[in-house]
Amino acid sequence: MQGEMEDKCGIVGIHCPDESKNVASFVYYCLYALQHRGQESAGIATFNPEKGLNYYCGMGLITDVFKDYEIQNLKGSMAIGHVRYSTTGQSRLENSQPFVTDFDDGFIAMAHNGDIVNSEELRNELIDEGYEFKSDTDSEVICYMLKKEHCDNNKDIIDSIESVSKKLVGSYALTILINGKLYGVRDPMGIKPLAVAKRDDEFILASETVAFDVINAKFIRDIKPGEVVFFEDNEIKSHMLEITEDCKLSHCMFEYVYFARPDSTIDGVNVYESRMNIGRQLHELYPIDADVVIPVPDSSIPAAIGYSRASGIPYGEGLIKNRYVGRTFIMPTQEERELAVRLKLNPIKDAIKGKRIILIDDSIVRGTTSKKLLDLVKEAEPAEIHFLVGCPPVISPCFYGVAMATKKELIAANYSIEEIKEQLEIDTLGYITIEALIEAIGMPKEDLCLGCINEEYPTEIPEGLEAETYYKP
């Protein structure tokens, strides 16, 4: 459900062998395509042999942070970029990325998507060795670990990444710029997505394939879980991390349910088709007699189309989203909080009044946003409301980069489906099952991370680690 959870970040990297070219504008366009993955801050770092490393970060949307003159000042044929939503680390400028520090008589810049569950332990070890932190992000922890392995232990970059990977527990997709060389790294479980494409003589790394489409780059492949890639002689060079052999695949199922843009393909699965399949599966589970199928825009639109086609019930727009509303600040009064919901969504009363509606949403997390949404729909006086959800009940927090809620805040962790239905005061409440979701995505169950819906996490969670302390909004 939009407004109840956020994903971590979107990352980009571009390698161009022609040192006379400037690629910052292409990073900008790629980040623009990934804006849905993070709206708190944005940043770009570039490298050219004459000026070395240049970078600029700011708070807000990519269009707020970068104007023409900032892009023009970021000259370089190598670049990485980042859009952020905070999970570990507060929402402030110091935590924006790429993170930059000195490295081997030069600089390292790193953009990170994911979360390291043992970052606090690793941070304390680095502090004991004299490292001073500018931010409270786990991204800075990884950066200093690489620096330590390379500079203190005289290891080359690949060996440094190899050593660091053996100490990290959690999820990470990285683009790293080290003195004019670009690296991409994906964690051994493949929790977070990362792919590579080519445009003319440039190689591009990005969280989603939609970033390639916007600059007319040709998708090559997904970065393999546990793979480190870099670029030499117009070729992709690859190194597989040793620990990959001992790790099971754990692709985040929420990429297919909610996070990724529907026009992306992640690990061979087309996101739009998987969401259409979710709608078809919902019809198999809940063949309801109704007048119209209505999505909660925008992420639930493909699922609603899938249900409509499977059922023969007409698809219709019943809620209009104000696409000019960005992130909203915390409203101090109940009246203002309700106003914020109305600002984002408004019902089409003539499309709803007197009708038996099937309302489809991607997920329910806390349940508070769903309650406000349904109150809006009820004002349009439908005859019946059948609320179907494209994600199974979320019963446990995520520790890998999805900021949702603590367990005590998760409505499905504390109430039965029937009790939630009574709280929402609707005719039907139907969740997709785990089995049906797996079939809709089209991946084997053992290749997916389902921790938030079955409490089977792909890694050990440090004792005492709670979402309420882990996530710092």
Side-chain angles (χ1 to χ4, degrees), residues 101 123 125-133 140 143-149 151-152:
T101 188
R123 175 188 294 269
E125 290 176 4
L126 289 164
I127 290 172
D128 290 342
E129 295 186 33
Y131 284 85
E132 295 182 2
F133 284 80
E140 187 176 7
C143 210
Y144 285 157
M145 290 176 71
L146 286 174
K147 180 177 177 179
K148 179 179 183 299
E149 291 295 331
C151 299
D152 296 357

Side-chain angles (χ1 to χ4, degrees), residues 145 161-169 172 241-243:
M145 290 176 71
I161 295 172
E162 185 77 65
S163 296
V164 170
S165 72
K166 295 174 181 177
K167 300 175 184 178
L168 299 177
V169 179
Y172 52 93
L241 298 171
E242 293 176 3
I243 58 170

Side-chain angles (χ1 to χ4, degrees), residues 232-449:
E232 290 179 352
D233 302 323
N234 202 35
E235 293 181 350
I236 302 172
K237 303 293 184 179
S238 174
H239 170 84
M240 294 301 298
L241 298 171
E242 293 176 3
I243 58 170
T244 306
E245 295 180 3
D246 300 322
C247 295
K248 65 179 289 293
L249 291 179
S250 298
H251 302 306
C252 176
M253 65 89 183
F254 258 122
E255 293 287 348
Y256 306 101
V257 171
Y258 170 77
F259 292 149
R261 269 180 48 165
D263 45 343
S264 284
T265 297
I266 295 177
D267 290 311
V269 175
N270 180 270
V271 176
Y272 183 82
E273 190 61 32
S274 69
R275 291 178 189 169
M276 288 271 287
N277 290 339
I278 286 172
R280 297 183 185 110
Q281 290 291 332
L282 283 171
H283 176 254
E284 288 288 322
L285 294 166
Y286 309 101
I288 297 166
D289 185 18
D291 300 310
V292 63
V293 181
I294 296 173
V296 178
D298 285 318
S299 54
S300 303
I301 290 174
I305 294 172
Y307 190 102
S308 172
R309 291 181 181 176
S311 65
I313 299 170
Y315 169 92
E317 286 190 89
L319 293 164
I320 297 299
K321 182 179 180 180
N322 185 340
R323 288 172 173 80
Y324 300 96
V325 176
R327 296 176 60 247
T328 55
F329 55 87
I330 296 173
M331 303 294 188
T333 69
Q334 180 64 27
E335 182 181 5
E336 287 178 307
R337 285 192 289 272
E338 292 176 0
L339 178 63
V341 175
R342 294 176 183 274
L343 191 62
K344 290 184 178 181
L345 289 172
N346 195 41
I348 304 174
K349 294 181 180 179
D350 288 345
I352 295 175
K353 187 172 183 178
K355 291 186 172 65
R356 300 168 299 166
I357 68 168
I358 296 173
L359 187 64
I360 295 185
D361 204 355
D362 51 66
S363 57
I364 301 176
V365 182
R366 293 180 178 89
T368 52
T369 306
S370 297
K371 181 69 167 64
K372 293 171 185 175
L373 167 70
L374 288 164
D375 287 344
L376 273 180
V377 172
K378 290 171 190 175
E379 291 178 11
E381 301 177 359
E384 297 173 5
I385 300 177
H386 305 280
F387 192 37
L388 304 183
V389 186
C391 176
V394 178
I395 60 172
S396 192
C398 172
F399 296 95
Y400 306 109
V402 182
M404 42 175 72
T406 62
K407 187 153 188 170
K408 66 183 180 182
E409 294 173 306
L410 296 170
I411 191 168
N414 298 282
Y415 298 97
S416 68
I417 294 176
E418 184 61 31
E419 287 171 332
I420 298 170
K421 172 180 168 288
E422 291 175 3
Q423 290 181 38
L424 297 177
E425 298 178 310
I426 51 180
D427 298 280
T428 302
L429 173 61
Y431 289 88
I432 196 171
T433 63
I434 293 178
E435 294 73 22
L437 175 63
I438 292 167
E439 186 171 341
I441 294 172
M443 276 189 183
K445 180 179 180 181
E446 57 269 23
D447 290 354
L448 290 167
C449 178

Side-chain angles (χ1 to χ4, degrees), residues 9-15 23-35 37 43-46 62 78-83 97-98 109-113 173-177 182-184 193-195 203-208 210-212 214-215 231:
C9 305
I11 61 173
V12 175
I14 295 184
H15 169 281
V23 298
S25 61
F26 295 111
V27 175
Y28 172 89
Y29 294 130
C30 289
L31 292 176
Y32 209 138
L34 298 177
Q35 186 74 86
R37 299 189 69 89
I44 296 173
T46 63
I62 188 80
M78 308 285 176
I80 63 173
H82 190 272
V83 288
Q97 294 185 38
M110 189 181 74
H112 171 214
N113 173 28
L174 308 170
T175 51
I176 308 170
L177 192 59
L182 175 67
Y183 298 84
L194 190 64
F203 285 101
I204 302 99
L205 296 164
S207 296
E208 293 183 33
V210 68
F212 307 143
V214 76
I215 62 169
F231 309 96

